[in-house]
Amino acid sequence: MLKYTEDHEWLRPEGDEIVVGITAHASEQLGDVVFIELPEVGREVAAGEEIVVIESVKAASDIVAPVAGTITAVNEALADAPGDVNADAMAAWFFRIKPADGVDLAGFMDEAGYQALIG
Amino acid sequence: MDALKRTPLYDLHVALGAKMVPFAGWEMPVQYPMGVLNEHLHTRKAAGLFDVSHMGQVILGGRDAVAGLEKLVPADVAGLAQGRQRYGLFTNPEGGILDDLMIANKGDHLFLVVNAACAAQDIAHLDAAGLAPEVVTDRALLALQGPAAEAALARLVPGVAGMRFMDVAEFEWTAPDGGSATLWVSRSGYTGEDGFEISLPADHAEAFTRALLDQPEVAPIGLGARDSLRLEAGLPLYGHDMDQGVSPAAAGLGWSIPKVRRAGGEREGGFPGAERILPELGKSARARRGLIPEGRAPIREGVELYRTSGSAEPIGRVTSGGFGPSVGGPVAMASLPADLPEGETVFAELRGKRIPARIAPMPFVTPTYKR
């Protein structure tokens, strides 16, 4: 089941990993995305660490690691087609992370909670 | 803080789904549902309509207007033919730039268009010089830009097809309700494309704008795309690529000072900062240079530039930069040493990395002005 962060990321648990992307709301707020810099596979990251740079036509912003863990895969296709994020934010995953403490998403918002956040 | 001002087209922008943002004291559309990228590309392919009513429109009448303006602006105002427009700069005694502006000769008066953020200061400056500026507050200002601008506008106002780049003229437009409005039209703009700027009475602005938007080529375009269009066109923006601390030569705008106002010219000097500005023309240590960064990451305003990938001291700074939708990659303008040859690579420090960027000629796209 999908969960959401206050930083407008969606989190999809798959086995012992979490797939992470940004929400359609976030992609609309960013505007047309023109550049994405992804973390290196194998990198160990802390929760809240800025690990993705997204540049839109308007500005640069960061995506943070939702939990501490190891990056196990990144969506290389986004580097060549950053506009995919605007076209279908839920399909344009950024990275997979293997949490250091196992997959536990109880502390994150569900769909209803996220909809309430963005009002 | 003062309340934001709204242009006569505010309600229309909202109805069109624009995202409104504060800009220079005005509430302006930064983008419409089409989005900045597609608005940019649409303008280069067809025609984009911009509300630029926030810009200052000023009339200088009186017999001393021409000589008086030449005391503030190092342009050839006296030599400007009736029905023509040219670009100029208000300078300060230190040799910097107070604002840039358009000057049109309309026969019995001069018509100026100045930047929104500088308008109050410019008007006070003109007033202090005894030029009795008449500030136009009851007219909107539109820009219609792109290769289809002439075809679209000429369906409403046939006479515009005969205008050349930097011509100015007045036309009558008959509104659908039978009313009539006088349009002050110039063939100019800020996108690198052929196009027009149209000043018209505020009470006809929405009807005229709707009539233009009814043309199949025309889409509304926000300030976001206006910025990327002018960046690709190599056109500087006041407050970013030039300001009170940047001289005309260092801003790459020495071309706007004609021979007649230069050393040895018939009306040499006689404007603020002339003793600093004129000797520097053609000899400035710094210049506004075009940059094409390697890769896809935009290099934005404020990014520091280095001579090599390891050198300690910056040699310049990006003054405007971003993604160029028509170029298909990042482009930037920077203040850099004037003697660095084109094609040379400098390094932009971005998030702790040095990104190579090639010094490139501007504009980054080929202008389509109708000369």
Side-chain angles (χ1 to χ4, degrees):
Chain A
M1 187 179 139
L2 278 176
K3 292 282 191 167
Y4 298 86
T5 72
E6 288 179 357
D7 299 311
H8 306 283
E9 291 156 299
W10 55 257
L11 313 176
R12 189 174 69 226
E14 283 189 17
D16 60 354
E17 296 177 347
I18 304 169
V19 186
V20 181
I22 64 168
T23 64
H25 172 77
S27 81
E28 280 162 27
Q29 294 297 311
L30 285 169
D32 300 305
V33 175
V34 296
F35 173 76
I36 295 174
E37 190 175 88
L38 296 163
E40 279 173 30
V41 173
R43 179 169 155 192
E44 290 191 16
V45 299
E49 190 177 339
E50 295 169 350
I51 56 171
V52 175
V53 176
I54 301 187
E55 296 255 8
S56 74
V57 285
K58 292 180 219 158
S61 36
D62 298 297
I63 293 184
V64 301
V67 296
T70 307
I71 303 298
T72 55
V74 298
N75 185 359
E76 300 282 1
L78 286 184
D80 293 324
D84 287 358
V85 175
N86 299 109
D88 187 355
M90 298 310 288
W93 64 281
F94 282 70
F95 57 86
R96 299 174 76 98
I97 184 168
K98 185 173 182 182
D101 301 324
V103 176
D104 176 10
L105 299 181
F108 295 100
M109 286 173 278
D110 60 10
E111 173 80 29
Y114 183 67
Q115 288 303 328
L117 175 77
I118 62 177
Chain B
M1 194 183 147
D2 293 342
L4 293 171
K5 289 178 272 191
R6 292 177 173 178
T7 78
L9 296 173
Y10 175 85
D11 290 343
L12 181 57
H13 296 315
V14 172
L16 291 168
K19 183 176 175 192
M20 305 299 290
V21 298
F23 181 83
W26 294 78
E27 204 167 353
M28 299 299 292
V30 67
Q31 66 172 82
Y32 297 87
M34 187 187 276
V36 175
L37 200 68
N38 286 321
E39 290 174 28
H40 177 116
L41 296 171
H42 180 89
T43 304
R44 294 244 187 273
K45 186 183 72 199
L49 183 61
F50 306 75
D51 180 9
V52 289
S53 304
H54 59 310
M55 298 189 78
Q57 304 182 60
V58 180
I59 288 171
L60 293 186
R63 63 181 62 199
D64 299 327
V66 169
L69 190 60
E70 283 204 350
K71 289 183 183 148
L72 304 180
V73 175
D76 182 6
V77 185
L80 180 62
Q82 184 171 340
R84 294 287 291 164
Q85 168 179 279
R86 65 177 42 134
Y87 177 80
L89 306 168
F90 286 113
T91 56
N92 69 20
E94 293 73 41
I97 301 171
L98 289 173
D99 195 8
D100 61 347
L101 75 159
M102 282 294 186
I103 307 159
N105 178 355
K106 301 198 63 187
D108 58 355
H109 66 273
L110 298 174
F111 177 59
L112 314 182
V113 177
V114 303
N115 281 303
C118 302
Q121 166 205 288
D122 293 343
I123 290 156
H125 188 54
L126 290 161
D127 205 33
L131 288 174
E134 180 192 327
V135 183
V136 179
T137 55
D138 57 354
R139 295 180 79 88
L141 189 65
L142 306 175
L144 183 69
Q145 302 279 295
E150 180 188 295
L153 183 59
R155 274 183 227 118
L156 307 184
V157 190
V160 300
M163 299 176 77
R164 288 181 302 131
F165 185 57
M166 296 297 241
D167 277 353
V168 294
E170 296 193 357
F171 298 94
E172 287 300 312
W173 176 67
T174 304
D177 68 3
S180 177
T182 302
L183 314 180
W184 303 347
V185 181
S186 73
R187 192 154 197 163
S188 61
Y190 193 49
T191 60
E193 298 296 326
D194 179 29
F196 302 86
E197 293 194 344
I198 305 143
S199 167
L200 78 167
D203 55 2
H204 283 81
E206 185 169 332
F208 184 75
T209 301
R210 285 184 183 280
L212 277 176
L213 291 173
D214 281 344
Q215 307 305 312
E217 304 94 336
V218 180
I221 310 295
L223 292 182
R226 185 170 164 83
D227 192 51
S228 56
L229 287 159
R230 70 92 196 166
L231 173 64
E232 282 184 344
L235 299 169
L237 175 60
Y238 191 80
H240 301 263
D241 308 299
M242 60 180 136
D243 57 37
Q244 300 209 22
V246 179
S247 68
L253 297 171
W255 60 266
S256 74
I257 306 177
K259 211 171 165 184
V260 69
R261 304 299 309 273
R262 296 187 180 205
E266 209 174 298
R267 297 192 311 287
E268 171 186 344
F271 56 87
E275 64 291 348
R276 298 188 186 193
I277 290 168
L278 293 182
E280 201 198 10
L281 291 173
K283 301 191 189 81
S284 173
R286 302 195 73 76
R288 179 169 54 90
R289 309 295 299 271
L291 280 183
I292 299 185
E294 215 171 79
R296 287 188 68 102
I299 307 291
R300 298 183 195 271
E301 180 175 2
V303 166
E304 296 206 289
L305 300 167
Y306 295 82
R307 190 68 193 83
T308 71
S309 59
S311 52
E313 287 302 312
I315 56 165
R317 189 177 62 83
V318 173
T319 56
S320 284
F323 183 79
S326 301
V327 171
V331 289
M333 294 183 201
S335 170
L336 278 169
D339 59 4
L340 283 176
E342 258 168 29
E344 198 74 13
T345 296
V346 297
F347 292 81
E349 189 153 294
L350 189 67
R351 299 184 276 267
K353 285 183 218 156
R354 296 262 171 114
I355 312 284
R358 182 167 52 82
I359 298 179
M362 292 190 286
F364 300 106
V365 293
T366 307
T368 60
Y369 307 134
K370 188 179 168 188
R371 304 249 181 212

